[in-house]
């Protein structure tokens, strides 16, 4: 029996019309900060930090309820897609089982 689940969502955003890093950060950073405050998540800007036209955001959460992890990541993905002036070109979800009560003996 599992002790819990770790869910990770990665989202690649593209904004080819953006001309500089400052403009991109002004679009992406508020979404990242609002995700952190509205949902029980850890959020980070993972890749593309030096590129002005794309970025990858990572989102993680942990729970003992698989359905809750799945639903929370879905809400986060929907929020990211609806909040910014960018295009979501890919997203992936990975949910990993952690712990096993038999391992503790």
């Amino acid at each position: 029996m599992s002790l819990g689940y770790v869910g990770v969502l990665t989202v690649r955003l593209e904004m080819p019309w953006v001309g500089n890093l400052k403009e991109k950060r002004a679009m992406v950073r508020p979404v990242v900060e609002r995700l952190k405050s509205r949902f029980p998540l850890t959020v980070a800007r993972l890749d593309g930090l030096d590129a002005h036209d794309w970025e990858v955001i990572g989102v993680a959460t942990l729970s003992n309820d698989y359905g809750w992890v799945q639903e929370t990541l879905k809400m986060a993905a929907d929020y990211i897609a609806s909040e910014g002036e960018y295009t979501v070109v890919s997203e992936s979800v990975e949910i990993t089982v952690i712990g096993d009560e038999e391992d503790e003996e």
Side-chain angles (χ1 to χ4, degrees):
M1 183 173 194
S2 68
L3 294 175
Y5 305 91
V6 175
V8 177
L9 165 70
T10 54
V11 180
R12 181 181 169 107
L13 310 174
E14 289 189 359
M15 51 221 91
W17 56 89
V18 173
N20 60 59
L21 293 174
K22 185 175 180 180
E23 187 179 351
K24 180 185 80 167
R25 277 192 302 270
M27 274 194 274
V28 175
R29 200 156 75 201
V31 174
V32 168
E33 294 304 317
R34 285 191 299 255
L35 271 171
K36 290 177 184 178
S37 67
R38 293 180 185 211
F39 301 100
L41 301 167
T42 298
V43 185
R45 298 170 61 212
L46 299 177
D47 198 8
L49 301 178
D50 293 332
H52 65 76
D53 58 348
W54 67 276
E55 186 154 330
V56 175
I57 296 175
V59 177
T61 192
L62 170 72
S63 176
N64 65 342
D65 182 343
Y66 183 91
W68 184 89
V69 170
Q70 191 174 36
E71 182 61 25
T72 301
L73 294 177
K74 169 93 171 85
M75 288 188 301
D78 291 346
Y79 185 82
I80 292 168
S82 69
E83 285 298 306
E85 297 178 27
Y86 43 69
T87 304
V88 174
V89 293
S90 68
E91 71 179 54
S92 70
V93 173
E94 184 176 328
I95 300 175
T96 305
V97 177
I98 57 170
D100 191 329
E101 289 179 358
E102 295 176 1
D103 291 342
E104 293 179 10
E105 296 177 11

